Amino acid sequence: MIEGFAAACSEPGETLRRPDPGTWQCWVDLPADMTAAAILQHDGTLKALPQLVVQLQIAQQADGQFRATLQDYLNVPQTSGAALRIQGNAPGAQEARNGLLRDMGGHIIGE
């Protein structure tokens, strides 16, 4: 699953990051119009541009199985203080996340 996530984050404008041992993030540059809209809507800065972050977290459960959680958010740097994390709840977003997890070999719990 991890290899699939890393491979999916290999296009120009995408950066794979690993902030801790159980977390992988794909930071994706946005098109110019979406970047401008995010800066204007969320009082962002031009010094560090907004990016889409797709995050995969994997943790081993007490029963020995692994649980993967996939989420995405818009990261909007601010002129002062921490960047804003804007959660996306667009129609179809959860279905897209579930499809990505399935494509990487995961099984969706609760379906």
Side-chain angles (χ1 to χ4, degrees):
M1 182 177 283
I2 297 163
E3 292 83 15
F5 185 81
C9 185
S10 60
E11 296 293 320
E14 298 177 346
T15 304
L16 187 64
R17 296 183 186 174
R18 191 163 181 200
D20 62 59
T23 304
W24 291 261
Q25 297 175 330
C26 184
W27 289 67
V28 181
D29 293 341
L30 301 171
D33 60 337
M34 292 178 74
T35 298
I39 290 170
L40 292 173
Q41 282 184 315
H42 303 290
D43 198 28
T45 179
L46 293 174
K47 293 181 182 179
L49 300 178
Q51 290 181 291
L52 173 66
V53 180
V54 181
Q55 178 172 286
L56 174 66
Q57 291 182 299
I58 298 179
Q60 189 168 15
Q61 305 297 297
D63 62 4
Q65 293 191 8
F66 289 88
R67 180 182 187 111
T69 305
L70 188 67
Q71 65 177 331
D72 56 84
Y73 59 89
L74 183 62
N75 186 75
V76 183
Q78 302 292 288
T79 54
S80 62
L84 291 179
R85 283 185 167 193
I86 312 298
Q87 294 296 122
N89 290 322
Q94 186 61 46
E95 292 81 14
R97 286 188 286 271
N98 289 348
L100 182 56
L101 280 171
R102 274 191 220 93
D103 291 348
M104 292 186 300
H107 170 74
I108 308 303
I109 298 172
E111 279 193 335

